[in-house]
């Protein structure tokens, strides 16, 4: 995964700035019932609307669209909150949202169409069709790209800035799942090469229009900006914590097949209806039934995404039932969909704001449960906890007085809601973030708090060490913190690196004792092949090269083929 400051470093927020949407302010809402049938969904729709609004209230995100369908013709679109905060324009049924990586399934369908017409063999090396000198030395196939088993890095650019100018593989192609946006960028180039037209045009004409996504696009262009909801992010020095202040984010044109579809709520309802049919082995109007069945039959084992992956579709379960699912995360929008093909129901949700890894998965999961309950004559499920993803598990493990070698004190205690952190006369909130804690406490906003135990990690043993960037805190007073000699070579590599490319962002490399650490990723080790990699990434999917020494410190970091320049 490409290191981005927002997604991986987990910086924090300023309490004094008011949230974009105050907790006491009502979100406007609109329900568009496009079609109904024998099932009475009124109570379910209201429960789903309440779930979506609770999610917005908890996160502070401005707006959301929700699409609901069943296989009997029912369709409802929920438009909740604000499409633009400055003008207080409510979200409406005509607003375009970026669906992010859900776009992958549309590119996959286009490629399967071309395969059905005999224009590509999905099991042949892509070099047969795509004359790129930057392809890896080891042959990879289109089917391996479709299922994320080609062994490619997640976000390496094409072509990459690597020692030989080529992409690389972190595992033998076909042997291991590893999510790769680079792989789907190659799928877009394959579609362009085979069809003889830009892949956004091919996806639009061959996939979107035939299934009824009439207002959708397959690329993000300036000409469509006026139809889009405005997207929001935390400011650069603020964290992705729930309820944090938001600002309108930077907007960029894109045509990457991995993530560049724009769609309205009704477009996504049409998409869901097709996915229900696909899940039942029906390919029309895009594929033959045989191709539809083959597409989903080719499953890569992928516990990282819920169990499996088939050509743009995650294979997950909700309440033990098989689901087709995917999420999407862009710079300004996040999305999720769930389809229970056996029961014939589906739901999609998208927000026009981002808070790191957060996605509206709780909303789509609840929506499919609620629609299923109506169809099976069961009570509606209880509402999910909108704060669940950010609540700190076993908070008592972190409560206490943490002291640095220089005597600085950080206290973690219980507040009215969750944990709080204190330093001097400053107080801040704490939230869970991928096994770490993030805080809006002044002086601790640039990275997450990482905990460990000096005697080894065991579930029943509370941590006795806290790392904030390259600074260690211990539980005892005075702290007994081993301070190994720091090798000069590691000092020359450490620094704050940045890129002007918003998708690359930056990397914060620090030295902890005698180890080089990429914040948000973990310890780095130097591979015998001449690159640095995460300690757990044995094959080197993501590779880091440091070069251009200036005044005994490296000036440039190449992160998985993308160039970053040292800021400090």
């Amino acid at each position: 995964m490409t290191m981005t400051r927002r997604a991986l470093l987990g910086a924090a927020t300023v309490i004094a700035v008011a949230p974009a949407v105050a907790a006491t302010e009502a979100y406007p809402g609109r329900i568009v019932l496009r079609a109904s049938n024998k099932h009475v969904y009124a109570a379910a729709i209201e429960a789903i609307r309440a779930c979506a609004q609770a999610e917005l209230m908890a996160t502070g995100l401005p707006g959301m669209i929700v699409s609901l369908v069943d296989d009997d013709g029912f369709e409802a679109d929920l438009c909740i909150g604000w499409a633009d905060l400055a003008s207080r324009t409510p979200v409406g049924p005509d607003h375009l949202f970026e669906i992010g990586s859900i776009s992958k399934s549309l590119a996959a369908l286009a490629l399967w169409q071309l395969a059905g017409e005999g224009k590509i063999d999905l099991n042949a090396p892509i070099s047969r069709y795509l004359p790129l000198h930057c392809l890896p030395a080891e042959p990879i196939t289109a089917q391996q790209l479709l299922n994320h088993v080609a062994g490619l890095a997640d976000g390496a650019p094409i072509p990459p800035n690597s020692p030989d100018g080529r992409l690389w593989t972190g595992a033998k192609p076909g042997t291991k799942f590893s999510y790769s946006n680079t792989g789907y960028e190659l799928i877009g180039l394959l579609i362009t090469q085979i069809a003889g037209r830009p892949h956004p045009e091919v996806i639009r004409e061959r996939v979107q229009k035939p299934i009824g996504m009439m207002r959708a696009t397959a690329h993000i262009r300036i000409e469509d900006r006026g139809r889009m909801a405005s997207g929001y992010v935390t400011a650069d020095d603020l964290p992705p914590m729930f309820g944090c202040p938001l600002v309108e984010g930077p907007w960029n044109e894109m045509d990457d097949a991995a993530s560049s579809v724009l769609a309205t709520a009704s477009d996504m309802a049409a998409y869901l209806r097709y996915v229900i049919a696909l899940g039942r082995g029906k390919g029309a109007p895009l594929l033959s039934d045989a191709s539809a069945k083959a597409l989903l039959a080719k499953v890569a084992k992928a516990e990282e995404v819920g169990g499996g992956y088939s050509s743009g579709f995650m294979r997950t379960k909700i309440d033990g039932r098989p689901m087709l699912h995917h999420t999407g995360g862009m710079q300004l929008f996040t999305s999720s969909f769930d389809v229970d093909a056996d029961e014939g129901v589906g739901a999609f949700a998208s927000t026009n704001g981002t808070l790191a890894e957060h996605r509206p998965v709780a909303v789509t999961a609840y929506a499919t449960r609620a629609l299923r309950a109506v169809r099976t004559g069961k009570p509606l499920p209880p509402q999910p906890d909108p704060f669940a993803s950010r609540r700190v598990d076993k908070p008592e493990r972190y409560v206490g007085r943490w002291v640095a070698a220089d005597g600085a004190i950080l206290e973690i205690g219980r507040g009215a809601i969750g944990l709080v952190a204190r330093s001097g006369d400053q107080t801040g909130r704490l939230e869970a973030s991928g096994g770490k804690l993030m805080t809006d406490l002044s002086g601790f906003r640039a990275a997450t708090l990482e905990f460990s135990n000096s005697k080894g990690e065991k579930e029943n043993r509370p941590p006795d060490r806290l790392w904030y960037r390259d600074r260690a805190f211990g539980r005892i007073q005075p702290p007994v913190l081993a301070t190994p000699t720091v090798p000069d070579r590691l000092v020359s590599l450490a620094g704050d690196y940045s890129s002007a490319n918003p998708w690359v962002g930056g990397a914060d490399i620090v030295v902890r004792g005698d180890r080089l650490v990429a914040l948000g990723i973990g310890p780095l080790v130097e591979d015998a092949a001449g690159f640095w990699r995460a300690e757990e990434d044995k094959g080197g999917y993501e590779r880091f090269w440091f070069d251009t020494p200036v005044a005994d410190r490296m000036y440039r970091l190449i992160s998985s083929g993308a160039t970053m320049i040292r800021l400090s």
Side-chain angles (χ1 to χ4, degrees):
M1 178 179 291
T2 301
M3 288 183 286
T4 62
R5 186 174 307 278
R6 189 174 317 285
L8 296 177
L9 304 190
T13 191
V14 177
I15 302 174
V17 183
V21 181
T24 56
E25 181 180 352
Y27 283 86
R30 178 178 178 182
I31 297 173
V32 180
L33 186 63
R34 298 188 181 277
S36 59
N37 56 32
K38 61 184 179 181
H39 302 290
V40 181
Y41 286 117
I45 293 172
E46 175 54 30
I48 295 165
R49 184 208 60 77
C51 173
Q53 177 151 317
E55 175 111 338
L56 291 179
M57 295 291 285
T59 60
L61 294 172
M64 183 185 298
I65 55 173
V66 181
S67 308
L68 308 171
V69 303
D70 76 4
D71 61 348
D72 288 324
F74 162 74
E75 179 183 329
D77 304 335
L78 281 59
C79 304
I80 305 168
W82 306 102
D84 186 84
L85 291 171
S87 64
R88 278 311 196 243
T89 301
V91 173
D94 296 329
H95 281 115
L96 290 170
F97 279 61
E98 297 177 12
I99 70 171
S101 287
I102 298 172
S103 307
K104 290 179 171 67
S105 58
L106 298 169
L109 288 166
L111 195 61
W112 270 86
Q113 249 191 7
L114 294 169
E117 296 168 5
K119 296 178 179 177
I120 180 174
D121 178 353
L122 297 181
N123 296 309
I126 63 171
S127 57
R128 178 185 298 180
Y129 309 96
L130 195 59
L132 291 181
H133 297 297
C134 67
L135 293 177
E138 194 162 7
I140 56 177
T141 70
Q143 187 60 59
Q144 290 166 350
L145 295 176
L146 288 166
N147 280 8
H148 297 294
V149 292
L152 298 176
D154 182 12
I158 301 174
N161 183 359
S162 60
D164 61 1
R166 304 179 74 166
L167 296 167
W168 58 91
T169 55
K172 183 180 168 104
T175 62
K176 185 179 178 182
F177 178 88
S178 184
Y179 194 88
S180 174
N181 284 292
T182 299
Y184 268 81
E185 186 175 353
L186 285 172
I187 285 171
L189 299 181
L190 270 171
I191 293 170
T192 297
Q193 180 73 17
I194 295 165
R197 292 189 295 149
H199 63 81
E201 294 179 13
V202 179
I203 293 169
R204 172 76 177 141
E205 295 301 320
R206 280 179 166 264
V207 179
Q208 291 177 331
K209 284 184 178 180
I211 66 174
M213 300 179 70
M214 304 309 296
R215 290 183 287 180
T217 75
H219 46 188
I220 302 170
R221 300 172 299 179
I222 192 68
E223 64 191 72
D224 294 314
R225 182 69 184 90
R227 297 197 292 148
M228 294 177 62
S230 298
Y232 294 84
V233 296
T234 55
D236 286 343
D237 58 344
L238 306 181
M241 295 177 71
F242 281 13
C244 70
L246 300 175
V247 296
E248 189 168 349
W251 190 85
N252 298 282
E253 290 189 297
M254 287 184 62
D255 72 347
D256 188 339
S259 56
S260 296
V261 168
L262 296 173
T264 65
S266 63
D267 289 325
M268 294 311 295
Y271 169 86
L272 293 172
R273 201 176 305 285
Y274 179 78
V275 175
I276 290 173
L278 184 74
R280 293 173 168 179
K282 304 298 182 183
L286 304 181
L287 307 171
S288 68
D289 289 353
S291 290
K293 292 172 184 175
L295 185 153
L296 293 179
K298 296 180 184 296
V299 185
K301 184 178 180 181
E303 297 301 326
E304 302 94 317
V305 295
Y309 200 94
S310 300
S311 293
F313 296 95
M314 296 177 184
R315 312 298 294 275
T316 62
K317 290 186 176 181
I318 294 179
D319 302 331
R321 297 181 61 88
M323 307 289 291
L324 295 174
H325 168 73
H326 216 291
T327 59
M330 299 292 281
Q331 295 177 54
L332 309 179
F333 294 79
T334 65
S335 304
S336 172
F337 87 84
D338 281 295
V339 160
D340 182 339
D342 292 340
E343 188 56 52
V345 296
F348 165 84
S350 185
T351 64
N352 58 327
T354 60
L355 292 172
E357 77 285 352
H358 177 266
R359 307 287 183 268
V361 293
V363 174
T364 57
Y366 179 79
T368 53
R369 286 188 175 108
L371 296 177
R372 185 193 301 152
V374 171
R375 291 168 67 95
T376 57
K378 296 179 180 178
L380 293 176
Q383 293 277 340
D385 173 10
F387 292 98
S389 65
R390 296 296 180 91
R391 292 193 188 280
V392 179
D393 185 39
K394 298 181 181 179
E396 65 278 0
R397 291 169 55 83
Y398 309 105
V399 171
R401 195 166 183 259
W402 299 85
V403 187
D406 62 3
I409 296 173
L410 175 67
E411 292 185 282
I412 297 178
R414 294 183 180 274
I417 302 177
L419 294 178
V420 295
R422 299 182 183 87
S423 179
D425 59 355
Q426 300 291 314
T427 301
R429 300 175 295 148
L430 287 165
E431 283 183 1
S433 176
K436 308 174 182 65
L437 300 183
M438 55 182 165
T439 181
D440 51 20
L441 177 65
S442 178
F444 294 86
R445 297 170 178 165
T448 52
L449 307 179
E450 301 181 39
F451 297 83
S452 62
N453 193 288
S454 59
K455 298 179 180 179
E457 300 299 328
K458 290 186 178 180
E459 184 177 352
N460 297 323
R461 180 179 290 161
D464 63 7
R465 177 167 296 186
L466 180 163
W467 284 100
Y468 173 71
R469 290 176 51 79
D470 56 355
R471 195 176 186 193
F473 290 73
R475 280 189 183 273
I476 54 180
Q477 171 68 15
V480 179
L481 300 172
T483 308
T485 302
V486 179
D488 290 340
R489 182 161 182 259
L490 296 189
V491 173
S492 74
L493 304 179
D496 186 2
Y497 296 87
S498 184
S499 167
N501 183 338
W503 283 105
V504 175
D508 207 344
I509 310 295
V510 301
V511 178
R512 291 179 177 172
D514 58 356
R515 309 206 71 181
L516 194 68
V517 176
L519 298 187
I521 291 180
L524 300 181
V525 296
E526 191 167 15
D527 194 272
F531 56 83
W532 291 78
R533 57 174 173 80
E535 187 173 42
E536 297 181 354
D537 182 7
K538 304 298 184 184
Y541 283 95
E542 311 301 334
R543 301 182 178 187
F544 313 119
W545 295 272
F546 298 86
D547 64 23
T548 315
V550 176
D552 298 325
R553 301 190 73 183
M554 293 301 176
Y555 177 67
R556 192 170 71 156
L557 166 64
I558 310 300
S559 170
S560 286
T563 302
M564 301 182 189
I565 301 301
R566 176 192 291 278
L567 296 180
S568 63

